Amino acid sequence: MTGTGFKRSLLGILTAAVLLCGCMAVESSRSGNENTTVTGERSSGYVSRTMPNREQNTAPTETFNIPKSAQLVTENMTDAQKRTLSDIYRRISDFEDDIALDGSVISREDISDFIGIILSQMPYIDYIGSEYSINVDKNGNVTNLRLNYSMTKDEAKLKKAMLDQKLDDIMSGVNEGWSDYKKVLYFHDTIIDSCQYSESGSAPHSAYGCLIEGMAVCEGYTKAMQLLCARADIDCVCVSGFASDEQGPQPHIWNKIMIEDEWTNIDVTWDDPMTASGSPYRRYDYFGLTDEEISITHEPDDNRYITYPAARSEALGYYIRMGYYYDGVTSAYDVMQYAAVSSMTDGDYAARIKCSDADHYNQAVSELFDDYTGYGAEIYNILYDAVSQTGAGWATNEFALVKNDGLYTITVFFR
């Protein structure tokens, strides 16, 4: 059986009709000095755009009041754009519903990209309603942003207090001296163990839905990771785009996290899949991937205001870091046995290995499992040896198997 576990949902863009300011007539364009009003609705993706060339900014550096995660992806913004972003963030935090803007900063075509920063990189802002509108001047620049909110300021304050307490509880499990790698691994496991992929909660697109209600979609998973990393002073951003499985590409969001001075991709949602039998399990196939590795299934949107950091280090991959990596240097038997002994020692119910390429993957599957049911398969000897070494109570003649043919991973479940 193959575990895929595709998870979806996401942020939104501006889709619009154009209304004349002060009346209800619908037109496709407007000239003259009057403002036009564009009404937008959040939906399931972003419009891809090309990053424009910008002049070098030589003005003194300003300090902008935006979350660190937003700072990390907007380094190529002009100071005027950052100033506008900071002002919008402050006003949304104060639940202002009518926000005047400098008409020289954001064009009508770019407003959805601009709002995309707020939706993806500011995890506490989870109360913007599904519709918003803008005023546009005769040059097509946005002069005013009007929002509605899905909850009151007092309701948001109460939910934030509950979420902060939950974050404190999780952080209390972090031991002094842990590396950033181990902290992020702990956050990854805690989110997966705490949350069920579901749209049925009251706030599935938020960290609150993930950590408090235990029901969220990919946006909730990634924002929970974003907030936990922020608590641990670990740089983390959300990457919005598309991910593909056998059903084709779907809107999706995942994290990039800085560990040991290197950026890496982590998709907590896709590491919380279901087996073919419908049972949930925890995996690490999408923990510590390079951009090249994750590009097999994931593609970021091209937001003109966002520049994502590059992730190039293979050394941060879970399987390489843990020693569960088969590349022919040692036998597949030895790698799987080490994984089984380690998992049983830790009280885990699964042993996981990754192969370096398709040839080693096919070789490992053949060597370890034969026809899966034949008692001559090496996996039975591995289970027997691991149980003998650890004294664990797992059966030595039964197992379940999940393979990821795209990432060359093999997971064996003990019974």
Side-chain angles (χ1 to χ4, degrees):
M1 51 189 171
T2 302
T4 54
F6 184 77
K7 310 298 175 73
R8 54 182 153 266
S9 86
L10 238 176
L11 313 174
I13 62 172
L14 190 70
T15 59
V18 180
L19 307 180
L20 297 184
C21 187
C23 68
M24 295 301 293
V26 178
E27 294 190 0
S28 59
S29 64
R30 177 72 172 172
S31 60
N33 295 323
E34 297 89 352
N35 284 345
T36 61
T37 300
V38 180
T39 301
E41 180 177 351
R42 295 173 61 187
S43 61
S44 59
Y46 285 109
V47 177
S48 295
R49 304 185 192 280
T50 303
M51 181 70 71
N53 294 322
R54 298 191 178 94
E55 295 181 359
Q56 181 67 31
N57 181 13
T58 59
T61 302
E62 294 185 43
T63 300
F64 302 100
N65 181 29
I66 56 176
K68 180 71 176 296
S69 52
Q71 296 177 37
L72 291 168
V73 298
T74 56
E75 292 182 349
N76 289 337
M77 265 189 168
T78 66
D79 280 355
Q81 291 163 348
K82 291 178 182 178
R83 191 179 305 114
T84 299
L85 181 63
S86 178
D87 187 53
I88 292 175
Y89 173 63
R90 177 181 61 82
R91 291 171 179 266
I92 289 176
S93 299
D94 288 337
F95 278 68
E96 294 187 28
D97 56 9
D98 198 306
I99 303 172
L101 302 178
D102 181 342
S104 66
V105 177
I106 310 170
S107 70
R108 170 178 158 183
E109 290 75 16
D110 296 334
I111 186 64
S112 62
D113 279 3
F114 204 85
I115 291 176
I117 303 168
I118 298 168
L119 297 176
S120 64
Q121 307 302 332
M122 302 179 180
Y124 280 119
I125 304 294
D126 60 1
Y127 41 77
I128 297 177
S130 60
E131 295 183 354
Y132 56 89
S133 62
I134 57 174
N135 279 6
V136 180
D137 66 18
K138 66 179 181 180
N139 297 315
N141 294 321
V142 179
T143 59
N144 185 269
L145 171 66
R146 290 186 297 278
L147 302 167
N148 61 76
Y149 297 104
S150 61
M151 65 186 78
T152 67
K153 189 173 184 178
D154 287 341
E155 288 171 338
K157 184 178 179 180
L158 177 60
K159 286 191 171 184
K160 182 179 182 299
M162 295 173 64
L163 179 57
D164 283 341
Q165 181 59 58
K166 184 64 175 181
L167 294 171
D168 288 342
D169 292 344
I170 295 172
M171 290 301 298
S172 69
V174 174
N175 293 335
E176 186 177 354
W178 274 8
S179 66
D180 284 351
Y181 194 93
K182 189 165 185 178
K183 291 174 186 175
V184 175
L185 192 62
Y186 165 67
F187 299 154
H188 170 278
D189 293 353
T190 299
I191 291 169
I192 290 173
D193 293 345
S194 302
C195 189
Q196 174 186 356
Y197 185 85
S198 173
E199 297 186 61
S200 61
S202 69
H205 298 271
S206 69
Y208 178 91
C210 178
L211 297 177
I212 302 298
E213 296 185 340
M215 293 183 290
V217 293
C218 55
E219 190 174 355
Y221 280 74
T222 56
K223 289 184 175 180
M225 175 63 84
Q226 199 175 33
L227 285 172
L228 285 167
C229 285
R231 287 295 182 96
D233 198 26
I234 297 171
D235 289 346
C236 174
V237 301
C238 291
V239 182
S240 60
F242 289 81
S244 302
D245 68 353
E246 64 273 7
Q247 298 176 359
Q250 299 288 340
H252 191 53
I253 185 168
W254 62 99
N255 295 109
K256 276 193 170 182
I257 302 176
M258 166 97 56
I259 305 175
E260 298 170 1
D261 296 323
E262 294 282 354
W263 286 95
T264 192
N265 290 281
I266 295 177
D267 189 341
V268 188
T269 317
W270 270 33
D271 273 350
D272 185 20
M274 295 281 186
T275 63
S277 64
S279 300
Y281 71 102
R282 185 200 302 160
R283 69 180 176 188
Y284 301 91
D285 290 10
Y286 297 90
F287 190 101
L289 299 187
T290 64
D291 290 339
E292 181 179 0
E293 289 172 321
I294 204 167
S295 68
I296 297 171
T297 50
H298 293 52
E299 181 179 359
D301 283 332
D302 188 6
N303 184 307
R304 69 176 298 132
Y305 297 111
I306 290 178
T307 304
Y308 294 115
R312 301 187 181 95
S313 176
E314 295 181 355
L316 295 174
Y318 171 83
Y319 295 92
I320 292 177
R321 179 58 61 96
M322 302 302 291
Y324 307 150
Y325 190 71
Y326 173 55
D327 58 2
V329 175
T330 58
S331 68
Y333 184 104
D334 288 341
V335 176
M336 180 59 79
Q337 184 181 49
Y338 176 69
V341 170
S342 297
S343 295
M344 290 183 183
T345 300
D346 292 340
D348 196 1
Y349 56 88
R352 310 163 181 87
I353 69 170
K354 180 173 183 174
C355 304
S356 58
D357 52 41
D359 288 340
H360 284 100
Y361 176 69
N362 293 329
Q363 179 184 339
V365 170
S366 177
E367 175 185 344
L368 298 175
F369 304 103
D370 191 21
D371 62 358
Y372 298 177
T373 59
Y375 280 90
E378 293 285 18
I379 188 61
Y380 296 107
N381 293 325
I382 290 171
L383 294 175
Y384 180 84
D385 290 343
V387 169
S388 297
Q389 290 184 47
T390 62
W394 302 103
T396 60
N397 60 350
E398 290 184 278
F399 69 92
L401 174 65
V402 170
K403 301 184 297 167
N404 186 324
D405 296 335
L407 288 177
Y408 312 133
T409 62
I410 302 167
T411 302
V412 174
F413 298 93
F414 314 133
R415 296 188 183 275

